Amino acid sequence: MASSEGFLTEEQRERLTIATQNSEVLSSSPKSPSSLLSEHQIKAPAGGKGAVGVAARHVRRTHSGKLVRVKKDGAGGKGTWGKLLDTDGEPHLDRNDPNYDSGEEPYQLVGSTVSDPLDDYKKAVASIIEEYFSTGDVEQAASDLRELGSTQYLPYFVKRLVSMAMDRHDKEKEMASVLLSALYADVISSSQICQGFVMLLEAADDLAVDILDAVDVLALFIARAVVDDILPPAFLTRAKKTVSETSKGYQVLLTAEKSYLSAPHHAELVERRWGGTTHVTVEEVKKKIADLLREYVESGDTSEACRCIRELSVSFFHHEVVKRALVLAMEIRTAEPLILKLLKETSEEGLISSSQMAKGFSRLAESLDDLALDIPSAKSLFESLVPKAISEGWLDESFLRSSFENGDVENKDDEKVRRYKEEVVTIIHEYFLSDDIPELIRSLEDLGSPEFNPIFLKKLITLALDRKNREKEMASVLLSALHIEIFSTEDIVNGFFMLLESAEDTALDILDASNELALFMARAVIDDVLAPLNLEEIGSKLQPNCSGSETVHMARSLIAARHAGERILRCWGGGTGWAVEDAKDKIQKLLEEYESGGVVSEACQCIRDLGMPFFNHEVVKKALVMAMEKKNDRMLDLLQECFGEGLITINQMTKGFSRINDGMDDLALDIPNAAEKYEFYLEYAKKKGWLVPTFGSVAVDGSS
């Protein structure tokens, strides 16, 4: 009897039958019938020979009963039927067949490169930067960057801009710095600029391979960004923590800090390192305007004058052309017809807009009083020019209403105010030359017009704004001295209010006026000339969202920053601001030496050597506090000697006692009987004539 090895069981036969019947359905399935069968490993019963343990689909029995092994997929092999649904050849699709389905065509995968958005962004910004270096058009570059979008990649723009400029001439380096300043806050945030520079520091080692002076150039870019207020000074300290001390990036930070930002007058040096700004300065533009107008008066060539105005490319500053042209018409009476012809021509061509034309007339109207010193008939001439301009159609009628109905403070000033302004301008100029504060104070007292103190403050700061940091520092120091001697806090507040009211006009002549005014206000708070609440008072008087309000907000931000006092005292390169801090230390030391057995005359000489008479109220304050702490009235002898010699004035005495009274609550925490001692010193001072008899009650009541 034949062996039962290799025969299928009934269950296996049933599965094979089902698989065969479903072959049509399975032909379109991802799995073939053979693969389904392979899931049920068909094996011959155990105990036989030969194919034991081999899957049944790999074994076939011939008609002779001989077992043969077939191909793996069941196709071919002698005595076999081949695999299920086997065909003689490859399947062929006929596109002419009515039943043709394009979906049955075999898929062909086509390889394509995956685009990286960052790579695309880098290529796009490189094109924008190249175009900017060619044209110098800041507005166009800003517009292109906005249209590009992808704001999350803006730090890469900063990195690419600076790295491309580093390998070029000074012109492109300057242009890159100017563009960053223009884009700051409006297009690129402060944090994104910081991130961009951090990326540059991290890449400094690679940059140094291609650019030999990469460390110095990148340090200068960072210093310039700090000077331009687009990077905070604290950036250098924070960035040092992100780079290795052995890296080029760390060297960049050290170079920026020690070689550029610590140098005297560093701001001016850094700004001019690459040849100054790419745009001409306001003074240069004014000179060019004056020259072209004089050439026009000589030649009478209107088209040439228009061409020169157009080439200036300062459409925002055309009001200066109008103002200077009108002044020239007043100075040279025969030139008036030519000047009016030129202004009419520029208006009709659209070269000078109606707003710029009106602004030029307005600025001239504001300065008529000063102009009248050189041209006595300036007011009458101006009043004759306005109707002519309106009748010819190149000055809007609204100017007449706004000028004469609303008017300016300058036009309403009476003769006394006009003379006062002339005097104080001379006094301020002399102070900038001599640095003599006592002499200036005497000059103001001789004028005898304390009601005009706010006007003096406005003139002082306006004149300082258009000068170097030395004069700005001198103005702040003078303000502190005036507040101690003859100016009230109300005078200071009103003066700053007048400045901020005209901030927009000031910005026409001084491009950075808003930032500078904010620094003056912040410095006044640091110097105790203004209280922080005074800033709120000034801000409440201004129109919301005006330039003045923004300046007040900026001043508050400066004061609120960490280490604000130190930074603001150094805002104009240090100088007298730090002298005040040094004076405090010296006063403390000389008083301690005197208290421990020093000679009165030597102490007085030390106070005299300080050379800061406006700050002698600090001597009074510290002497009184030391007398309370040491319970030693020897300090009163020193104050008596200083007063007797005229070294400390009544004003300085009054200020010193007032400061003690104002800080009594804090003082009482350290000296419990401070109030009692203060009352004793107050009576003593009045008896000796240091203070006016009414001071005591006014000071104490005022503080309560």
Side-chain angles (χ1 to χ4, degrees):
M1 185 176 179
S3 174
S4 62
E5 290 181 9
F7 286 98
L8 302 178
T9 64
E10 289 299 325
E11 181 181 355
Q12 291 168 342
R13 289 177 186 279
E14 183 178 352
R15 290 178 182 174
L16 180 60
T17 302
I18 293 171
T20 304
Q21 290 174 349
N22 294 335
S23 61
E24 292 182 3
V25 178
L26 294 173
S27 65
S28 61
S29 172
K31 289 186 178 182
S32 64
S34 58
S35 66
L36 285 175
L37 291 176
S38 68
E39 293 177 2
H40 307 281
Q41 293 288 312
I42 302 174
K43 299 180 181 179
K49 298 177 182 178
V52 178
V54 179
R57 66 173 178 162
H58 294 164
V59 180
R60 294 288 187 272
R61 182 180 291 278
T62 65
H63 293 293
S64 62
K66 182 180 178 180
L67 292 174
V68 294
R69 191 173 183 85
V70 299
K71 291 182 180 179
K72 190 171 182 180
D73 285 336
K78 188 176 180 181
T80 65
W81 294 337
K83 62 182 180 181
L84 296 177
L85 303 181
D86 197 10
T87 59
D88 293 336
E90 291 296 324
H92 176 69
L93 295 176
D94 185 0
R95 290 182 174 82
N96 296 322
D97 190 333
N99 295 323
Y100 168 74
D101 183 3
S102 61
E104 296 179 4
E105 291 278 7
Y107 292 104
Q108 183 177 4
L109 297 177
V110 179
S112 63
T113 305
V114 178
S115 176
D116 185 352
L118 180 55
D119 288 340
D120 293 342
Y121 182 83
K122 289 179 178 179
K123 292 175 183 176
V125 297
S127 176
I128 292 172
I129 293 166
E130 288 287 359
E131 184 177 351
Y132 168 65
F133 284 157
S134 299
T135 64
D137 192 336
V138 174
E139 290 298 327
Q140 184 61 45
S143 175
D144 291 344
L145 202 56
R146 287 192 196 96
E147 290 178 5
L148 184 60
S150 303
T151 55
Q152 71 274 23
Y153 296 140
L154 284 172
Y156 289 94
F157 171 81
V158 176
K159 178 185 176 185
R160 194 61 181 270
L161 173 65
V162 174
S163 59
M164 287 176 67
M166 286 174 68
D167 202 21
R168 302 201 180 203
H169 297 296
D170 286 352
K171 176 192 172 190
E172 284 79 8
K173 294 183 180 76
E174 179 67 26
M175 290 175 72
S177 290
V178 170
L179 181 59
L180 283 177
S181 295
L183 298 176
Y184 173 69
D186 186 27
V187 179
I188 306 178
S189 68
S190 175
S191 61
Q192 289 171 327
I193 288 180
C194 289
Q195 290 171 31
F197 275 101
V198 168
M199 292 165 66
L200 282 162
L201 291 170
E202 292 171 348
D205 291 289
D206 295 332
L207 290 170
V209 175
D210 299 319
I211 306 168
L212 296 180
D213 58 346
V215 170
D216 188 65
V217 175
L218 185 52
L220 193 51
F221 265 110
I222 290 175
R224 177 63 179 271
V226 172
V227 168
D228 289 345
D229 290 326
I230 62 175
L231 274 183
F235 169 81
L236 280 77
T237 305
R238 293 199 297 264
K240 284 179 182 177
K241 299 176 183 177
T242 65
V243 294
S244 169
E245 292 186 7
T246 59
S247 67
K248 297 285 187 185
Y250 196 82
Q251 293 178 29
V252 168
L253 293 170
L254 291 179
T255 304
E257 185 176 22
K258 295 181 179 179
S259 299
Y260 294 120
L261 295 176
S262 298
H265 308 295
H266 66 273
E268 186 175 345
L269 294 174
V270 168
E271 284 178 346
R272 300 223 172 245
R273 182 61 182 268
W274 290 320
T277 176
T278 54
H279 305 291
V280 291
T281 63
V282 173
E283 289 304 316
E284 289 170 341
V285 173
K286 288 180 178 180
K287 185 178 183 302
K288 289 183 178 182
I289 291 171
D291 291 343
L292 76 86
L293 288 173
R294 291 197 175 275
E295 287 178 10
Y296 166 67
V297 169
E298 292 175 4
S299 67
D301 191 342
T302 307
S303 59
E304 177 64 16
C306 289
R307 185 187 66 79
C308 292
I309 294 170
R310 193 176 290 107
E311 285 184 353
L312 287 175
S313 299
V314 287
S315 56
F316 60 89
F317 203 56
H318 281 166
H319 56 82
E320 182 71 16
V321 177
V322 178
K323 178 187 174 184
R324 286 183 176 267
L326 294 172
V327 171
L328 193 58
M330 294 179 184
E331 289 175 341
I332 307 173
R333 297 299 302 128
T334 56
E336 182 179 317
L338 281 173
I339 294 295
L340 297 182
K341 179 184 177 183
L342 174 63
L343 292 177
K344 182 180 180 181
E345 184 72 19
T346 56
S347 176
E348 290 176 350
E349 283 188 16
L351 180 57
I352 297 181
S353 66
S354 58
S355 61
Q356 288 289 311
M357 193 69 74
K359 191 67 183 176
F361 271 85
S362 296
R363 290 186 61 211
L364 184 58
E366 292 168 5
S367 60
L368 282 176
D369 287 331
D370 294 332
L371 190 61
L373 299 175
D374 300 317
I375 308 172
S377 58
K379 287 186 178 181
S380 60
L381 289 173
F382 179 75
E383 290 172 1
S384 68
L385 289 172
V386 171
K388 290 179 184 178
I390 293 174
S391 64
E392 292 180 6
W394 47 274
L395 179 64
D396 196 279
E397 290 184 11
S398 60
F399 169 78
L400 201 58
R401 294 194 299 272
S402 62
S403 177
F404 293 104
E405 288 179 11
N406 299 329
D408 302 294
V409 175
E410 299 284 346
N411 291 332
K412 292 179 180 178
D413 289 341
D414 57 17
E415 188 65 19
K416 183 179 179 182
V417 175
R418 187 181 66 79
R419 286 199 305 270
Y420 177 82
K421 289 180 179 179
E422 294 171 13
E423 292 285 346
V424 297
V425 167
T426 303
I427 292 171
I428 293 168
H429 284 161
E430 288 178 356
Y431 166 66
F432 285 155
L433 292 172
S434 67
D435 197 14
D436 191 340
I437 292 178
E439 178 60 31
L440 181 141
I441 292 174
R442 281 193 294 271
S443 298
L444 281 181
E445 289 174 339
D446 290 343
L447 286 178
S449 301
E451 68 274 19
F452 297 145
N453 285 347
I455 296 175
F456 175 86
L457 185 147
K458 180 183 177 183
K459 284 288 183 185
L460 170 67
I461 294 181
T462 302
L463 290 171
L465 283 172
D466 205 21
R467 295 190 172 221
K468 295 183 179 179
N469 286 345
R470 173 183 175 273
E471 284 78 10
K472 295 184 179 75
E473 179 69 25
M474 290 175 69
S476 286
V477 172
L478 176 60
L479 202 57
S480 180
L482 291 173
H483 182 241
I484 294 163
E485 295 285 348
I486 55 176
F487 277 30
S488 66
T489 301
E490 185 180 1
D491 290 335
I492 307 290
V493 168
N494 290 337
F496 273 109
F497 173 70
M498 292 170 65
L499 271 168
L500 295 172
E501 262 194 322
S502 59
E504 292 180 359
D505 293 333
T506 306
L508 295 173
D509 294 320
I510 303 163
L511 299 181
D512 201 29
S514 182
N515 291 333
E516 299 283 6
L517 282 173
L519 282 170
F520 268 112
M521 296 183 73
R523 177 64 179 270
V525 173
I526 296 299
D527 289 343
D528 292 328
V529 174
L530 287 176
L533 285 176
N534 293 140
L535 296 186
E536 295 182 14
E537 178 185 351
I538 294 169
S540 66
K541 295 180 180 180
L542 296 166
Q543 292 292 329
N545 302 321
C546 69
S547 177
S549 295
E550 292 175 3
T551 302
V552 173
H553 178 72
M554 198 182 307
R556 288 178 185 166
S557 300
L558 289 170
I559 295 165
R562 291 184 62 190
H563 308 298
E566 180 178 340
R567 288 180 59 190
I568 293 168
L569 281 173
R570 284 191 180 274
C571 64
W572 289 305
T576 339
W578 275 108
V580 171
E581 294 300 311
D582 293 340
K584 289 182 179 180
D585 294 336
K586 290 177 180 178
I587 289 168
Q588 183 68 31
K589 288 177 182 177
L590 75 87
L591 290 176
E592 287 175 353
E593 288 180 9
Y594 171 73
E595 194 274 335
S596 62
V599 181
V600 174
S601 59
E602 289 181 2
C604 289
Q605 185 59 44
C606 289
I607 295 171
R608 194 175 290 106
D609 289 343
L610 288 175
M612 300 178 74
F614 60 89
F615 200 57
N616 282 342
H617 59 85
E618 182 73 12
V619 176
V620 178
K621 176 191 171 187
K622 286 187 179 295
L624 293 174
V625 170
M626 194 172 291
M628 294 178 185
E629 289 175 339
K630 306 291 184 180
K631 298 180 181 179
N632 185 346
D633 295 340
R634 193 162 181 261
M635 287 295 170
L636 301 180
D637 297 335
L638 174 61
L639 293 179
Q640 176 61 45
E641 185 67 22
C642 290
F643 181 75
E645 289 185 12
L647 186 57
I648 299 181
T649 64
I650 289 182
N651 285 333
Q652 292 291 312
M653 283 287 188
T654 303
K655 183 67 177 178
F657 273 85
S658 296
R659 291 181 63 197
I660 290 286
N661 185 60
D662 293 342
M664 185 58 67
D665 291 338
D666 294 332
L667 196 59
L669 297 175
D670 299 320
I671 307 171
N673 64 338
E676 180 184 343
K677 296 292 277 183
Y678 173 74
E679 289 296 331
F680 170 76
Y681 297 148
L682 196 62
E683 292 302 318
Y684 183 86
K686 286 191 287 186
K687 287 179 183 177
K688 294 291 184 178
W690 304 350
L691 302 172
V692 293
T694 57
F695 170 77
S697 58
V698 173
V700 175
D701 294 344
S703 64
S704 60

